Amino acid sequence: MNSDQMVSRMIGGSSWARLQPLVLLLFGLVALLAAIFVDHASLSFALWAVAGGSLSACLLMVSAAMLTQGRLRAGLRAALRIMEHDPAPCFCTDKTGAIVAINAASARRFGEPLGQSMARAIIGMLPNATAVVFRTENALERQSVTHETVLTARGAVRITAHRVTGGIFWRIDDQGGAAPHSGDGIALPMMVVSQSDTILSMNSAMRAVLGRRRTAMADVFVDPDVVAGRRAIMRGAHGEVGVVPVIVPSRDGRREVYIVPGLADPPAATVAARAFESLPVALLHIGSDGCLLASNRHAQTLLGIVEPATGPLSQFVEGLGRPVNDWVMDTLAERIPDRSEVVRARRRAEEVFLQITLSRITDAGGPSLLAVLHDATELKTLEQQFVQSQKMQAIGELAGGIAHDFNNLLTAIAGHCDLLLLRHDQGDPDYGDLVQINQNANRAAALVGQLLAFSRKQTLEPEILDLRDTMGDLTHLLNRLVGEKITLTLSHDPGLLPIRADRRQLDQVIMNLVVNARDAMPDGGEVRVETRMVRLTEPLYRDRAEVPAGRYVTIRVCDQGHGIAPDKCHRIFEPFYTTKRQGEGTGLGLSMAYGIIKQTGGYIFVDSVVGVGSTFTIYCPAFDPPAQQVVPKSPAPITAKTSGAKGDPGIDERGGVVLLVEDEAPVRAFAARALRLNGYTVIEAGCAEEALEKLADEALKIDLFLTDVVMPGMDGPTWVRRALRDRPGVKVIFVSGYAEDQLEDGAIAVPNAVFLPKPFSLADLTETVQRQLP
């Protein structure tokens, strides 16, 4: 089972309801077309306003959906990538609790437990595995992350679980016999107690004090209602003994109880001071005024202090979103329940996040707090990777999902506008309005293309390119783009190998990078564009990406501008994120460049120093010889086969007979009229089944099948293959709002077939049909 299959199984094939934005778009289209033909000025203005409002509302709904749609797969793919190189055993379970993915460490330790439950897979490690898994799954219903340390005869086993879309990500850290929290590596007697006061486990020191293993708190203490920091009487192996319990609570209701012997009713501050250094966890004791009373060396290390310090907790940590002192005082006053918070250590040079759990204790000196600290930096980094991955894929998933419907609408708008332009001369009063509609439809199509470029789902036309030639052809345009203040320098490696890429899209990437370099140097400077051959003998790891070993052609665009701040570098490829001022950039340029390069099979990175400049480096796989001969494409001339200036001509079989199959009525109406205007006979069908019914007439002569790929019921390739059994010589044109390489493998691998992506114009359609029916 590959990663995509694992992800698909975990999300359960979830789908996105697209009805509301589709209705809004259709309503806006109707209002738009009505506004064109209405002569009354006030009514026309109102219809234009309704159309603009409907389309704007649709875009707002789409934008809101962006924030959630991409999470269906992004987090799961990120988890699978992260766990591949984790030295600890990792699992992914689906909604039913079955294991669907493991890493190498899990395979070595547990074999191949795919399809089993987590409890069954780890039962050899944990005798109470079923209870542990049950507690963890229940905890994940209330929170996104949970962890538990289970003491076994071999030592401590730490289980961390993350709730991800469609399942759970598990990490098992078997810390061995002398690891922290194992109990047997601790000199102090300790035991783990459940919420019902059942003793789950105890270390050897505790068993030595008790003389034998006990199962309940009532078997250990004379009064089982023990209070942290308050003297209690314990039933030891040689009689009763006075002890002071130190209790470390967990979020799942369990408690770790440590026993400090030989103290007679000391104040809580003294208990903490004497016991903390012997405990294997980072602890703070906070007084009733909210100031630190004591800390052990583990806490001092995490907080970045070299010696015991006093003062409010807010002097050492930050980042709750509200004052830290308020959190402390609310917990002391029992206004809020005890709970964990993740904060940042103020005094650490590096960025360190801490998970702090506050527990209220009471003694003769009044209430105070026991704080347990855990290093949450690794967890926070993992969460940031999840979030980053979700951000980078959210719009990609959305764009791919709505591309078909959006491109159908744009095809209908632009196509009918083309038809109207054929019937209006430049002197016509409506001509200018039609041109505006056409231009804005093309802008909308370009915007969808940019989103598809980011999602790596746009249609590419790759060819073998020698960058020395293509960059030379692009130099004149680049010089015009940078202006007179900027010096453009090109440098090429004489041993450069060719690459395989879409020339038009690659030129767009380079132009975008050069324009960004120009904008970063308002006072002038130099932009260098360099191409080099690079051979990686081992994989290159950077910016959470892995560049496999091999030969690459690199393109570097360097500027001497103001640079990009380090905290912004990791976000510049996100869609709609820009470092430019308001109104100077859309934030789509670099995200589009990222998508184009990734779809081409390459990588793009940025290095920047504030005040010095930025360098964007593109890695494109070298195309190994023998290089294929590049045959330049020459567009076929578009010739009208009718002399009518206005209106539709009659059927003219001299141009050939086309069977048009399209489930979208506006697109079908446009395509049919466009083809008839050029002298073709068009037979229309709204679905594949209707097309096959028409083909049942053996006397019907068909020269070309023009069909949508994705339709309700039978899809385009399926019905075409069936039809070609009886009509093997018929040419085929497939059209779709999806990119060709995003369709099912081999879906349009049909003889005599070509692909026409939506949205297409009247000229695109006519040119493609003329190439198929010369």
Side-chain angles (χ1 to χ4, degrees), residues 590-606:
L590 286 178
S591 65
M592 179 193 64
Y594 174 88
I596 291 172
I597 296 302
K598 292 297 290 183
Q599 192 174 2
T600 304
Y603 303 83
I604 182 169
F605 303 108
V606 61

Side-chain angles (χ1 to χ4, degrees), residues 221-223 225-227 229-234 241-245 263 265:
F221 295 99
V222 174
D223 182 2
D225 296 327
V226 296
V227 178
R230 181 177 295 174
R231 188 171 184 271
I233 304 301
M234 188 173 73
V241 58
V243 298
V244 175
L263 300 175
D265 294 324

Side-chain angles (χ1 to χ4, degrees), residues 411-738:
T411 301
I413 293 171
H416 283 92
C417 188
D418 286 343
L419 292 173
L420 287 172
L421 284 170
L422 290 177
R423 296 160 54 185
H424 290 75
D425 298 327
Q426 292 190 12
D428 195 303
D430 295 331
Y431 186 82
D433 295 334
L434 292 172
V435 170
Q436 285 294 322
I437 295 173
N438 186 269
Q439 290 177 351
N440 282 279
N442 290 334
R443 288 181 61 191
L447 178 61
V448 174
Q450 287 182 318
L451 294 176
L452 290 175
F454 171 75
S455 68
R456 307 192 290 279
K457 293 179 181 178
Q458 93 263 13
T459 302
L460 296 181
E461 297 179 2
E463 54 184 302
I464 310 305
L465 302 177
D466 187 330
L467 288 179
R468 291 169 295 189
D469 297 333
T470 59
M471 295 290 289
D473 297 339
L474 193 62
T475 302
H476 179 67
L477 178 58
L478 294 178
N479 277 312
R480 292 180 58 189
L481 287 173
V482 298
E484 296 179 355
K485 291 184 179 181
I486 306 295
T487 301
L488 180 66
T489 304
L490 272 69
S491 174
H492 296 297
D493 189 333
L496 210 62
L497 288 177
I499 63 173
R500 189 172 186 269
D502 185 313
R503 177 170 182 169
R504 177 175 55 87
Q505 299 283 5
L506 185 62
D507 287 350
Q508 191 172 3
V509 170
I510 296 172
M511 284 190 293
N512 183 273
L513 296 179
V514 170
V515 168
N516 284 347
R518 177 203 65 190
D519 294 342
M521 298 184 294
D523 298 326
E526 180 186 16
V527 176
R528 298 194 318 276
V529 181
E530 304 171 350
T531 60
R532 295 287 183 271
M533 278 300 305
V534 174
R535 183 180 183 88
L536 299 179
T537 57
E538 58 185 25
L540 171 65
Y541 298 94
R542 64 165 295 179
D543 299 345
R544 296 189 293 273
E546 176 185 350
V547 183
R551 290 189 296 178
Y552 293 87
V553 175
T554 64
I555 307 171
R556 300 175 73 235
V557 179
C558 312
D559 64 60
Q560 300 170 340
H562 45 65
I564 305 170
D567 61 328
K568 296 179 179 179
C569 270
H570 68 284
R571 296 192 58 193
I572 60 171
F573 294 116
E574 296 179 11
F576 304 112
Y577 179 81
T578 178
T579 59
K580 298 179 181 179
R581 290 194 297 258
Q582 184 73 23
E584 293 185 356
T586 63
L588 276 175
L590 286 178
S591 65
M592 179 193 64
Y594 174 88
I596 291 172
I597 296 302
K598 292 297 290 183
Q599 192 174 2
T600 304
Y603 303 83
I604 182 169
F605 303 108
V606 61
D607 299 284
S608 187
V609 178
V610 176
V612 177
S614 305
T615 298
F616 286 83
T617 305
I618 299 171
Y619 286 78
C620 292
F623 188 82
D624 293 326
Q628 299 176 1
Q629 294 296 323
V630 182
V631 179
K633 297 179 180 178
S634 56
I638 303 175
T639 59
K641 298 187 180 181
T642 178
S643 59
K646 294 185 179 182
D648 292 348
I651 294 177
D652 182 359
E653 295 188 1
R654 291 175 300 171
V657 182
V658 178
L659 176 57
L660 172 61
V661 185
E662 170 63 63
D663 61 306
E664 290 285 339
V667 177
R668 188 172 67 249
F670 151 64
R673 287 186 58 194
L675 292 173
R676 289 182 181 125
L677 279 172
N678 283 270
Y680 296 100
T681 299
V682 181
I683 300 173
E684 300 181 42
C687 62
E689 291 76 9
E690 182 181 352
L692 291 175
E693 288 178 7
K694 293 181 181 295
L695 291 174
D697 182 2
E698 298 180 357
L700 182 64
K701 177 182 178 298
I702 301 294
D703 299 302
L704 175 69
F705 295 149
L706 177 61
T707 176
D708 195 4
V709 174
V710 180
M711 295 182 293
M714 191 181 302
D715 62 23
T718 301
W719 83 260
V720 167
R721 290 192 185 96
R722 186 175 300 180
L724 288 177
R725 296 173 188 170
D726 299 324
R727 301 171 183 263
V730 178
K731 301 293 183 65
V732 183
I733 298 176
F734 287 112
V735 297
S736 178
Y738 296 108

